[in-house]
Amino acid sequence: MAGVRTLQTLTESFWRDEYVVSAADLDLVTGQILEAARPQRLGALASTIILRRMQAEREAVTRQAKQGDLYQPKGHYEVGQTVVFSALDFQSGRVVGLRAGENPKYGPFNVIRVAFDDPPVEREFAADLDVPHPLNVPVEELVVSTDSAVSEADLVRAFEHYVAVKLEPVLEEAPEFVRFDGQWFLRDLLPEIHVGHLNLAEAMIDEAGHPLPAREMIAELELPVTGSREAQLFALNRALGEDSRFDNVSTADDRVWFLRALVPEAVYERPAVLEPAFRAQGGEYIGLTMLDMVEEIGDELDDVDAAAVLRDSGSVRFELSFPHLYAGTMPATQSLLRMMPPSTQRYYPITLVDARGKKRFDAWVVPEERYVCGLKEWYTETGLTVGAEVTLASADEPLTFTISVAPVRSRRRDWIRVATVAEGDFSIQLQQQAPPPVRADQHMLMLVPDEEAIVGLMRQAAEAQLSLSAMVRSTFLELAKLGGTVHAKSLYSACNMLRRTGAVPVFAELTRRACYNPVGDGLWVYSPDLEGTVYRDPDEMRERPLSNREDTVRDQAIQYLGR
């Protein structure tokens, strides 16, 4: 409203540029915590300060306005009278002159001359002018100006961040305040948590063999009864968080604790065999028929972060690669993570239930590393091998999933690829073997009698920085010795015994290099005379114009944008 003062506490510029935390603000924060008798979030403390500052400024302006008559054009004033002007930041002045106004448009009215002290100046204002005017409104509306379209709650939400970022470092420096997990409390109100309590908490978790919430442990710890239940929880959670033996593994506001000594090492350090060498970037050209293979394999390295994952079927399926088999992990693809609750923790536990034997066991989701660890024992007991088809499905209980594999009906011996290291080189041979006890993709399937030898080979390849093209070529030629043609999934499976790679980088190499020719059903052949030649556009990748093979099939090349 024109001519009406806007309180500075209602402006963004004040909180952003001018506000400074005062001793009175800290007293207010202390009082709020004392009154609530429980920890308070920083945002709630900031909101309290904003509301109190707004109220204080309104009260100050109201007191200032009462020092004299509030000026309005319709008002009548006499010489010697003190008048307060809302449009002049509530300056007061003394009427020193009065004369008749001259304006036929408004009829009779007066003009007062007012003397101000700071700075010393005299100005004239209309009086006895009862016409529509922004200042001819009820007096209470002149004290402050607010935007009726913006509520006080909206203003608090808009300014809360500015106060919070200034308040937080002050609270951190003040010894009387303590913080845990975004909440603040008073140190003097904390019940004592000593080493005996922490040792007992460690024993409780160790005996349970699974994470325990702080609320469940409190009853057994016999904490001092002083203070509220919330204060006890705050003190216990804070003490557990400062003790290196414990890890917070919760996915919700209720803190859940586990022992670092009981979780797999892969929770804290990515296994070397899972170190990505080649992953999908998005935009690579691959054959249209390869998209189904990428989906079936379910490799986390084929996720493209910018891709929108629209599916939420409640289950995921993947085909086990050697690195995951060896590390006892499974891919945490975007599709799998969508089945999990959001969490800010580095890792958190889930319960897996074997669909056949109903055995329950803990596994650990490590979202940033994109894998789930803790499956090594189950892999071994179930007889999984490279290429095994595994399905994970949501169960009725929170954070619980069934994990299943399909048994094979016949264990009749058959020719199966076996990966070994012969005289320091990667070797793949066909041997008559009994198939694994669970169903595996026939193209991915590969037995590995000496896993440590393959791991050593992967270490050497990483140290030598074996390139993608060199890896694909050498592996293709090794597989081609078994029958001439090589299936794209077999190539992916074998490449993952040299360096950790997604399927898309391998498939993109097949698609763009002229020396590889598709002959149908996912099979490819090698043409040594075209070694080093690269197709540059999707039409060439489809037509394979340099191929002299009559059995070459044409597969539309498309840009990979994610699964």
Side-chain angles (χ1 to χ4, degrees):
M1 179 184 296
V4 182
R5 177 184 182 181
T6 298
L7 296 182
Q8 64 176 357
T9 54
L10 302 182
T11 65
E12 181 180 21
S13 60
F14 169 75
W15 297 107
R16 183 188 63 224
D17 305 326
E18 301 177 37
Y19 169 71
V20 176
V21 179
S22 67
D25 292 335
L26 292 183
D27 290 341
L28 182 65
V29 166
T30 300
Q32 180 176 343
I33 296 175
L34 284 171
E35 182 178 354
R38 63 174 182 268
Q40 299 289 299
R41 294 207 169 272
L42 183 64
L45 300 176
S47 297
T48 298
I49 290 174
I50 294 171
L51 290 171
R52 182 65 189 92
R53 287 282 189 119
M54 287 179 175
Q55 179 186 359
E57 189 177 16
R58 287 193 187 96
E59 292 172 352
V61 168
T62 301
R63 287 194 301 271
Q64 190 177 12
K66 290 180 179 179
Q67 294 176 2
D69 293 318
L70 200 62
Y71 169 73
Q72 292 180 289
K74 67 181 180 180
H76 177 76
Y77 307 97
E78 299 290 344
V79 173
Q81 186 175 354
T82 298
V83 182
V84 176
F85 293 83
S86 62
L88 301 179
D89 206 16
F90 288 86
Q91 286 190 66
S92 61
R94 184 169 51 87
V95 179
V96 295
L98 178 66
R99 65 175 177 83
E102 298 179 2
N103 192 326
K105 180 179 178 180
Y106 296 116
F109 69 98
N110 291 316
V111 175
I112 58 174
R113 188 169 72 256
V114 179
F116 296 93
D117 294 330
D118 187 18
V121 66
E122 291 186 1
R123 295 178 59 179
E124 290 189 330
F125 300 88
D128 302 301
L129 182 62
D130 194 3
V131 296
H133 189 278
L135 296 181
N136 283 336
V137 295
V139 172
E140 58 270 16
E141 294 184 23
L142 291 179
V143 175
V144 295
S145 171
T146 60
D147 185 348
S148 60
V150 181
S151 68
E152 187 175 75
D154 290 334
L155 291 172
V156 170
R157 282 192 293 270
F159 305 148
E160 181 183 295
H161 169 71
Y162 297 121
V163 177
V165 297
K166 296 180 179 182
L167 177 62
E168 185 172 28
V170 176
L171 294 179
E172 289 174 344
E173 291 294 326
E176 63 268 32
F177 296 99
V178 291
R179 175 177 61 179
F180 174 75
D181 198 27
Q183 291 187 313
W184 292 88
F185 203 51
L186 295 174
R187 190 179 301 275
D188 290 343
L189 297 184
L190 286 178
E192 181 186 5
I193 305 291
H194 54 66
V195 66
H197 293 131
L198 297 176
N199 290 341
L200 182 55
E202 180 184 26
M204 292 172 63
I205 298 173
D206 188 35
E207 182 177 354
H210 58 77
L212 292 178
R215 291 182 183 276
E216 187 174 322
M217 290 188 280
I218 274 186
E220 303 294 330
L221 294 181
E222 299 181 354
L223 298 181
V225 295
T226 57
S228 65
R229 177 80 165 183
E230 288 82 1
Q232 290 182 327
L233 276 172
F234 182 90
L236 177 58
N237 281 321
R238 183 170 178 270
L240 292 171
E242 293 179 344
D243 191 312
S244 61
R245 291 174 290 176
F246 302 92
D247 261 354
N248 175 15
V249 297
S250 57
T251 58
D253 290 337
D254 198 9
R255 301 300 93 181
V256 179
W257 298 92
F258 201 51
L259 300 178
R260 291 177 65 97
L262 298 184
V263 299
E265 185 179 346
V267 160
Y268 303 106
E269 183 176 358
R270 178 168 50 197
V273 293
L274 294 182
E275 186 66 36
F278 313 106
R279 66 191 318 150
Q281 301 298 320
E284 301 95 330
Y285 281 100
I286 64 173
L288 180 62
T289 59
M290 290 175 161
L291 289 178
D292 287 340
M293 299 183 206
V294 173
E295 182 68 27
E296 291 165 0
I297 290 170
D299 193 319
E300 77 277 11
L301 298 186
D302 291 323
D303 281 339
V304 176
D305 289 340
V309 181
L310 302 178
R311 299 178 306 278
D312 190 9
S313 62
S315 67
V316 294
R317 176 188 176 279
F318 65 94
E319 294 170 355
L320 192 59
S321 65
F322 173 76
H324 279 300
L325 174 65
Y326 179 80
T329 55
M330 61 177 282
T333 58
Q334 291 175 344
S335 297
L336 175 63
L337 293 177
R338 277 178 60 88
M339 296 164 57
M340 308 287 176
S343 174
T344 58
Q345 306 302 326
R346 171 175 169 77
Y347 71 94
Y348 54 88
I350 60 174
T351 299
L352 298 182
V353 182
D354 188 326
R356 290 191 296 175
K358 304 305 178 184
K359 175 184 177 180
R360 301 170 69 94
F361 61 97
D362 289 330
W364 306 87
V365 182
V366 190
E368 287 188 5
E369 300 292 349
R370 295 294 183 90
Y371 57 70
V372 181
C373 60
L375 290 93
K376 186 67 173 180
E377 182 178 332
W378 184 78
Y379 283 169
T380 302
E381 291 177 350
T382 312
L384 267 61
T385 187
V386 174
E389 299 172 353
V390 184
T391 300
L392 199 75
S394 298
D396 294 334
E397 302 173 52
L399 289 173
T400 302
F401 304 85
T402 59
I403 187 167
S404 60
V405 291
V408 294
R409 296 182 178 180
S410 172
R411 297 298 306 279
R412 186 174 59 185
R413 295 172 68 85
D414 198 356
W415 292 100
I416 298 176
R417 287 179 295 273
V418 179
T420 61
V421 178
E423 298 181 355
D425 294 325
F426 188 36
S427 174
I428 302 175
Q429 298 176 341
L430 285 175
Q431 296 181 8
Q432 274 203 325
Q433 299 270 353
V438 299
R439 188 167 63 197
D441 182 277
Q442 62 173 328
H443 304 297
M444 288 276 294
L445 174 61
M446 208 167 298
L447 301 182
V448 185
D450 187 349
E451 292 185 349
E452 294 301 331
I454 296 296
V455 171
L457 197 64
M458 293 185 71
R459 188 182 307 113
Q460 293 174 17
E463 292 172 353
Q465 296 186 330
L466 181 65
S467 68
L468 176 63
S469 60
M471 177 180 69
V472 170
R473 180 182 180 277
S474 63
T475 307
F476 193 104
L477 294 178
E478 183 65 24
L479 286 166
K481 293 189 305 184
L482 304 180
T485 59
V486 175
H487 196 278
K489 291 174 77 171
S490 301
L491 181 62
Y492 158 81
S493 182
C495 280
N496 268 282
M497 297 182 190
L498 288 175
R499 301 200 73 183
R500 180 73 183 98
T501 179
V504 169
V506 175
F507 294 172
E509 276 291 296
L510 293 176
T511 303
R512 64 191 288 265
R513 294 198 176 271
C515 59
Y516 305 113
N517 282 293
V519 293
D521 296 327
L523 297 172
W524 293 70
V525 295
Y526 179 72
S527 300
D529 55 313
L530 295 177
E531 178 68 43
T533 303
V534 175
Y535 291 129
R536 300 297 180 182
D537 61 64
D539 289 337
E540 287 186 339
M541 296 176 192
R542 181 190 67 237
E543 296 297 329
R544 322 299 288 190
L546 300 179
S547 174
N548 56 10
R549 295 184 61 98
E550 294 182 358
D551 56 354
T552 298
V553 299
R554 287 162 178 77
D555 190 10
Q556 181 182 352
I558 62 170
Q559 283 189 299
Y560 180 75
L561 300 177
R563 292 187 291 120

